[in-house]
Amino acid sequence: MQKNRHSMLTSLLLVSGSAFVFGFFIGLPVWSVAIALFIWALYQVKQFNRLSEWLLDRDELNEPPESSGHWGEVFDELSRLNRRQASRENLLRNVINRFQESTTALSDAIVIVDSNNNLEWWNTSANRLLGLNDRSDRGKPIMNLLRDPRFIRYFKREDYSDPITLPSPAHSDLQIQFQITPFGDGDRLLVARDVTRLKRLEQTRQDFVANASHELRTPLTVVRGYLETFLDQDLPAPLTRGLGSMHQQTRRMENLVSDLLLLSRLEASHHISDEQPIQIHNMVQNILEGAEHLSQGRGGHEFVIELDDSHDLLGQELELHSAFSNLVYNAVRYTPAEGRIRIRWWLDKNGGHFSVKDNGPGIESIHLPRLTERFYRVDESRSSASGGTGLGLAIVKHVLARHGGQLTIKSKVNKGSNFTCHFPMEAVTKKEVEWQDDEPLHIERKPEGNTSQPSL
């Protein structure tokens, strides 16, 4: 454009100079210059009008008008800019077309929600899976179309680390997994995936495990009964040892079947329907009796109990008893003789917490993320010797999920482990305290052989 400005100035000087020279020869230099400048100005106005008409009718005219001189340079530059812009538009149009073709080919529903929670764009699969209408639903609030209260709570909480699975609003027999990803300035990308087949396969697996476990119970009970009858007889030592080993393994299989049945029941529903206030003090005392009995055959342990006796927990008592006892019994099994096991229940601003801490051998950090998997064992030989089924922590995880809680595990090799169950504040209930102590209940129980008395 700097060159065009110089060309226009040069043109003006040439016209003015030529008119002055011509006027000097005829004796009218001023009039000659004035007439020349007037004609030059009319020419500039004409070219400017041509440019204006082209800009106004740009959609219809592909190329700017032809001209010469500095206006020709301007029109040529505009022509080059026009071609470059058309090339960029074609490139962007091709990218958009490719994006739309690829998203249309996806079986998953893709929905873009703007910062005002209104539907901005979606692909074809969203019409099939979510029942959206291209003509009538664009620009409408997403919560007016996806009205399931569970989806609305999921959308509003703005914590999308885990997906949520719900029935399709368009087809009740379809199970849809929703995953939201924030992007841009308050916008959200919603991905809805049909997981009906996976859910059916999972249900088939659960039914198979439940049915197989149920069918195994009867023959195991019969075998155990006969073994106990034989062991009551006066038999040779080798035969007694063999029958004793068989009886031990039968009991272990019965425990495994019981855990599998419990896990199947927990998986059948994601929420509890019969929550009741649970007296944590009584439950822990009951679990402690079983833990002390188990500890007697392992050299004894020191138990330290610290309970906030002014608050209880809302939930399903049998499930929570199973979860808490699994944590305590695991600590007894894997903590060496005369080790220390600390059981706590307390309340803070985040909710209620139940923890079991031991000073056992600890667990390497590489194993911690997988501890709640079924049948996952850190040390196969040690786990088999302990008599565990490999399902305890999986049961704990499912019980806590049904109660809206979660399990955290902290452990260091040779320093011990700490398993903590976290419950939301709405799951905690205050109770009337039967005594006036402001301090939480504190009990210490030493292994047998230590003469010190439990202290309250």
Side-chain angles (χ1 to χ4, degrees), residues 12-62:
L12 176 61
L13 292 177
L14 287 175
V15 170
S16 301
S18 300
F20 180 80
V21 172
F22 177 76
F24 180 79
F25 282 108
I26 64 175
L28 298 171
V30 176
W31 283 100
S32 296
V33 172
I35 294 173
L37 291 177
F38 179 74
I39 296 173
W40 184 85
L42 289 178
Y43 175 77
Q44 305 304 322
V45 169
K46 178 182 178 182
Q47 298 298 331
F48 179 79
N49 289 336
R50 295 178 65 192
L51 176 61
S52 299
E53 291 176 358
W54 177 76
L55 291 175
L56 291 175
D57 300 333
R58 191 175 173 185
D59 291 338
E60 299 179 4
L61 301 176
N62 294 327

Side-chain angles (χ1 to χ4, degrees), residues 15 77 87 164-165 181 190 253 265 296 312 326 359 386:
V15 170
E77 182 64 25
S87 177
I164 183 173
T165 302
T181 303
L190 170 66
M253 290 184 66
R265 287 195 297 268
Q296 290 175 2
D312 280 335
N326 265 304
N359 60 351
S386 69

Side-chain angles (χ1 to χ4, degrees), residues 70-296:
H70 55 271
W71 279 105
E73 295 176 3
V74 171
F75 291 151
D76 290 343
E77 182 64 25
L78 288 175
S79 178
R80 287 189 290 269
L81 291 174
N82 188 44
R83 286 194 294 269
R84 284 198 293 268
Q85 182 177 353
S87 177
R88 285 195 296 268
E89 289 179 354
N90 290 333
L91 178 61
L92 292 175
R93 190 178 294 109
N94 291 333
V95 170
I96 293 174
N97 290 337
R98 292 284 293 175
F99 172 76
Q100 291 179 340
E101 290 175 359
S102 61
T103 53
T104 300
L106 289 175
S107 59
D108 299 340
I110 309 294
V111 181
I112 296 179
V113 183
D114 63 22
S115 57
N116 296 320
N117 300 333
N118 297 326
L119 296 174
E120 184 174 327
W121 178 89
W122 59 87
N123 65 347
T124 305
S125 296
N127 298 333
R128 174 177 57 86
L129 296 179
L130 305 180
L132 301 182
N133 190 301
D134 293 330
R135 296 181 179 180
S136 59
D137 293 339
R138 196 172 304 277
K140 289 185 177 180
I142 186 172
M143 287 179 284
N144 287 1
L145 301 172
L146 303 179
R147 300 179 181 179
D148 192 306
R150 291 168 292 181
F151 175 81
I152 294 176
R153 288 195 299 270
Y154 176 72
F155 188 85
K156 288 183 176 180
R157 75 183 184 186
E158 297 183 355
D159 179 12
Y160 309 128
S161 55
D162 296 320
I164 183 173
T165 302
L166 300 170
S168 168
H171 307 281
S172 58
D173 58 333
L174 296 182
Q175 292 292 317
I176 305 298
Q177 183 184 80
F178 295 91
Q179 177 74 66
I180 298 178
T181 303
F183 75 98
D185 188 12
D187 297 333
R188 295 178 179 89
L189 178 67
L190 170 66
V191 179
R193 177 172 300 170
D194 183 0
V195 293
T196 305
R197 183 172 178 272
L198 293 178
K199 285 293 181 180
R200 289 174 179 170
L201 290 174
E202 179 67 16
Q203 186 61 47
T204 301
R205 182 191 63 80
Q206 294 176 10
D207 293 342
F208 170 77
V209 172
N211 294 333
S213 301
H214 182 74
E215 293 298 328
L216 284 172
R217 273 188 121 170
T218 300
L220 284 174
T221 302
V222 173
V223 171
R224 181 171 60 85
Y226 277 111
L227 289 174
E228 290 176 350
T229 301
F230 293 149
L231 288 172
D232 290 338
Q233 307 298 319
D234 187 12
L235 300 174
L239 188 58
T240 301
R241 286 196 300 270
L243 292 175
S245 178
M246 293 170 62
H247 181 263
Q248 180 184 2
Q249 294 301 320
T250 303
R251 291 296 299 270
R252 184 181 176 190
M253 290 184 66
E254 284 186 322
N255 293 335
L256 176 60
V257 168
S258 297
D259 284 351
L260 285 172
L261 288 173
L262 174 58
L263 199 54
S264 297
R265 287 195 297 268
L266 295 176
E267 290 177 333
S269 174
H270 297 288
H271 305 280
I272 56 176
S273 58
D274 56 344
E275 64 179 20
Q276 298 291 334
I278 299 169
Q279 296 183 356
I280 296 295
H281 174 265
N282 294 341
M283 178 181 289
V284 171
Q285 290 294 335
N286 181 271
I287 294 173
L288 185 59
E289 292 177 3
E292 289 178 333
H293 179 73
L294 179 63
S295 175
Q296 290 175 2

Side-chain angles (χ1 to χ4, degrees), residues 296-365:
Q296 290 175 2
R298 299 173 182 271
H301 298 82
E302 176 187 355
F303 293 92
V304 179
I305 315 299
E306 298 179 10
L307 305 178
D308 179 353
D309 208 61
S310 61
H311 293 86
D312 280 335
L313 192 61
L314 290 174
Q316 215 286 329
E317 184 171 3
L318 292 178
E319 293 182 10
L320 290 173
H321 185 281
S322 176
F324 293 169
S325 62
N326 265 304
L327 296 179
V328 176
Y329 295 162
N330 279 348
V332 174
R333 291 189 182 101
Y334 299 118
T335 302
E338 300 184 358
R340 192 168 188 262
I341 299 174
R342 183 187 184 193
I343 303 173
R344 293 184 64 205
W345 162 253
W346 75 99
L347 182 73
D348 60 20
K349 63 179 182 179
N350 297 318
H353 312 275
F354 179 87
S355 72
V356 179
K357 184 178 181 180
D358 62 64
N359 60 351
I363 306 169
E364 294 183 6
S365 59

